[in-house]
Amino acid sequence: MNVLLAIPLLVPLCGAATTLLLRRTPRSQRGTSTVTLAAVVASAALLLWRTRDGAVVTTQAGAWEAPLGITLVADAASALLLLVSSVVLLMVLVYAIGQDIGGLSRATPQVFHPVYLVLTAGVNLSFLAGDLFNLFVGFEVMLTASYALITQAPTRARVRASMIYATVSLTSSILFLTGIALVYALTGTVNMADVAEKLGAAPPALRMVLALLFFVVFGIKAAVVPMHFWLPDSYPVALTRISAIFAALLTKVAVYAVIRTQTLLFARDDTSAVVMAVAVVTMIVGILGALVQSDINRIMSFALVSHIGFMLFGLALGTVAGLAGAVVYLVHHIVVQATLFLVNGLIRQYVGHTSLTDIRGLTAVSPALAVFFFLPALSLAGLPPMSGFVAKVALFQAGVAEGGGPAWAGLAAGVLTSLLTLIAIFRVWARAFWGTPGPTMLEAREQLRTGANRGGLRIMTATTGAMVAVGVLVALVAGPLTEVGFTAAEGLLDGRAYVTAVLGERMP
């Protein structure tokens, strides 16, 4: 077995078991989790280095030959997203450790660390799975862990949100299993490379139905409109450490699955009109929802939904440039969403809530906090020179090059959504960061800075600053990142290298 492909799966699972045994020694538990995720980051970086020029790395668990065995595959797209996700998982873990050291969270660390590492294994398996069933397993591992995480420090609102989240996720999973069964009945295999070869013999109408079924399955998990209603009610009520990782990764893993299945399995079937329509509606409805919210977490949750539409826009274009823009946008959005939710967590530490009706003068309370919000917010709106600007320019250029009514509709929706995002962000800035803070906020600041929990707050602040720096770094390396994005897009659209790497001589 290729060790680089095994590390992102086996190391987090072994780390989860170890941290469970170390639940009575918090320091050892924290150290084990940190080392575990650092090892995953290192392996992901090496995988990206090996796949940066279009190579595909594969392995067969137990030495069973494809398509019978469990296949793990890494190409430029999956390796890039694996690296970015691993970095964010590590950063959020350090933030959570700061909260625990300072006694600033009601989470149960003894439970959090094992479950968090299981979530990591699920995310990584979803990126590396080479067959539909193990893609399903990756999602279920990830979602089962998320059920446990969302109910940390349970309240009535969190229990209600977890029930909605679980119900929607289980519905999506049932549809996913149904789709896998139909594919197996049609082709006799669930290996994605093998399915890509055999599905061509199926009737076009049946392939179209399967393509749309899988789009709905992952569309529910990605919270695209009109299947988005669960997200704004679930993410804002979770603990900061949980909502940050949910906002950054769970929907993006689903977007990756949409891109992978629609390009590899159903490349012959033109679903671009449906995907473009959903992209446009998602962008507009999501951002309009953000404009009418009065809570920062809910604003960011609706903005998250809206910006999923940008990635679908790149997929709907069906060109190398469009898919490259979607990949770059995925990287940008993972980093920015995690950063903004971590900032919201710091706001909650200073104020006790994130409601715009009772927050004023955060810039005076903490200038660093204002900078930490301002930079990723500008990136979300797509203003230069931030990473969001780079990603949107790539998508818009691809749309202009493609031309045609659907592409121009997507471009118009993208520009309008960017402007409305800027308005939503300015509204948060004007209400929460401008003005004179009240005496209660100033007292809370002094208590945090001088109290016994100041060490934990410093770790949280430093980690949030590091996430802001990662976002700036994404913009600084826009050139190399775009090159990797084009390499990933070429591999996604032309699946021959993927199929050859998995099946070898069977590829005609």
Side-chain angles (χ1 to χ4, degrees):
M1 173 178 279
N2 191 308
V3 175
L4 288 180
L5 287 169
I7 288 175
L9 307 180
L10 299 182
V11 170
L13 291 176
C14 293
T18 304
T19 53
L20 186 60
L21 295 174
L22 295 173
R23 61 187 180 277
R24 299 186 186 279
T25 54
R27 182 173 295 180
S28 299
Q29 197 179 45
R30 295 169 194 152
T32 301
S33 296
T34 305
V35 170
T36 297
L37 286 178
V40 173
V41 170
S43 66
L46 290 173
L47 275 174
L48 180 59
W49 179 258
R50 289 185 58 177
T51 59
R52 71 192 188 282
D53 295 326
V56 180
V57 181
T58 67
T59 192
Q60 297 294 134
W64 286 83
E65 291 187 4
L68 298 179
I70 297 174
T71 304
L72 300 178
V73 186
D75 58 6
S78 57
L80 175 62
L81 295 177
L82 179 67
L83 175 59
V84 177
S85 300
S86 300
V87 170
V88 170
L89 282 160
L90 178 59
M91 291 290 193
V92 174
L93 175 69
V94 176
Y95 184 97
I97 289 173
Q99 282 187 314
D100 294 335
I101 290 175
L104 296 171
S105 175
R106 295 175 56 202
T108 307
Q110 296 87 344
V111 176
F112 170 76
H113 287 273
V115 177
Y116 190 78
L117 292 178
V118 170
L119 176 79
T120 300
V123 170
N124 296 345
L125 178 58
S126 299
F127 285 133
L128 299 177
D131 63 86
L132 289 173
F133 185 75
N134 281 290
L135 179 61
F136 170 79
V137 171
F139 269 99
E140 290 308 297
V141 170
M142 178 177 67
L143 294 173
T144 301
S146 68
Y147 301 151
L149 290 174
I150 202 172
T151 54
Q152 284 267 293
T155 63
R156 183 183 296 273
R158 284 176 186 148
V159 171
R160 176 181 176 274
S162 68
M163 291 176 65
I164 296 172
Y165 178 66
T167 301
V168 172
S169 297
L170 288 174
T171 301
S172 174
S173 297
I174 292 170
L175 292 174
F176 194 179
L177 272 179
T178 303
I180 293 173
L182 291 173
V183 168
Y184 184 77
L186 190 63
T187 63
T189 183
V190 293
N191 182 284
M192 286 194 279
D194 205 24
V195 171
E197 279 196 317
K198 294 180 177 179
L199 206 56
L206 184 54
R207 292 201 309 266
M208 178 65 75
V209 169
L210 287 173
L212 292 176
L213 175 59
F214 277 92
F215 180 69
V216 169
V217 166
F218 298 124
I220 294 173
K221 297 179 184 296
V224 303
V225 176
M227 301 169 284
H228 69 294
F229 63 91
W230 59 270
L231 190 150
D233 289 332
S234 301
Y235 287 11
V237 300
L239 296 174
T240 298
R241 61 181 74 182
I242 311 304
S243 59
I245 211 63
F246 282 14
L249 295 184
L250 297 197
T251 52
K252 311 314 178 303
V253 174
V255 171
Y256 164 79
V258 170
I259 293 174
R260 176 66 71 187
T261 54
Q262 295 296 319
T263 55
L264 180 62
L265 305 187
F266 308 110
R268 307 169 185 82
D269 308 301
D270 188 13
T271 57
S272 60
V274 175
V275 176
M276 184 66 78
V278 172
V280 170
V281 172
T282 299
M283 282 190 269
I284 300 301
V285 172
I287 200 60
L288 290 178
L291 289 172
V292 299
Q293 302 302 314
S294 60
D295 182 272
I296 301 176
N297 273 337
R298 288 187 64 83
I299 291 171
M300 294 306 155
S301 295
F302 274 99
L304 189 162
V305 170
S306 175
H307 286 244
I308 295 295
F310 283 95
M311 304 164 216
L312 295 181
F313 171 61
L315 172 63
L317 291 175
T319 63
V320 171
L323 270 179
V327 171
V328 173
Y329 206 94
L330 270 165
V331 173
H332 143 75
H333 207 244
I334 288 172
V335 175
V336 164
Q337 284 293 335
T339 306
L340 286 172
F341 273 86
L342 292 183
V343 172
N344 292 347
L346 289 176
I347 293 174
R348 189 181 294 276
Q349 296 297 337
Y350 280 104
V351 185
H353 59 82
T354 54
S355 174
L356 289 177
T357 58
D358 297 317
I359 303 178
R360 293 289 185 277
L362 280 174
T363 302
V365 172
S366 174
L369 186 60
V371 173
F372 292 168
F373 175 83
F374 187 70
L375 292 178
L378 288 183
S379 184
L380 187 67
L383 294 183
M386 308 305 294
S387 61
F389 173 76
V390 174
K392 288 180 181 178
V393 165
L395 285 172
F396 291 167
Q397 286 179 337
V400 171
E402 177 66 11
W408 285 109
L411 282 167
V415 172
L416 178 61
T417 299
S418 299
L419 292 174
L420 294 178
T421 301
L422 185 60
I423 292 173
I425 288 169
F426 180 76
R427 181 166 163 262
V428 174
W429 181 263
R431 289 197 178 189
F433 289 89
W434 285 356
T436 303
T440 304
M441 291 176 59
L442 295 174
E443 290 174 6
R445 178 188 65 180
E446 294 306 315
Q447 289 177 0
L448 285 170
R449 289 180 175 178
T450 60
N453 50 22
R454 62 185 182 277
L457 182 65
R458 287 172 183 166
I459 294 175
M460 293 165 60
T461 304
T463 305
T464 306
M467 281 299 302
V468 174
V470 170
V472 173
L473 179 63
V474 170
L476 292 176
V477 298
L481 176 62
T482 303
E483 290 179 7
V484 175
F486 270 90
T487 301
E490 290 168 357
L492 288 166
L493 281 179
D494 183 2
R496 288 176 296 179
Y498 186 100
V499 177
T500 301
V502 174
L503 300 179
E505 297 301 321
R506 290 185 51 185
M507 182 67 188

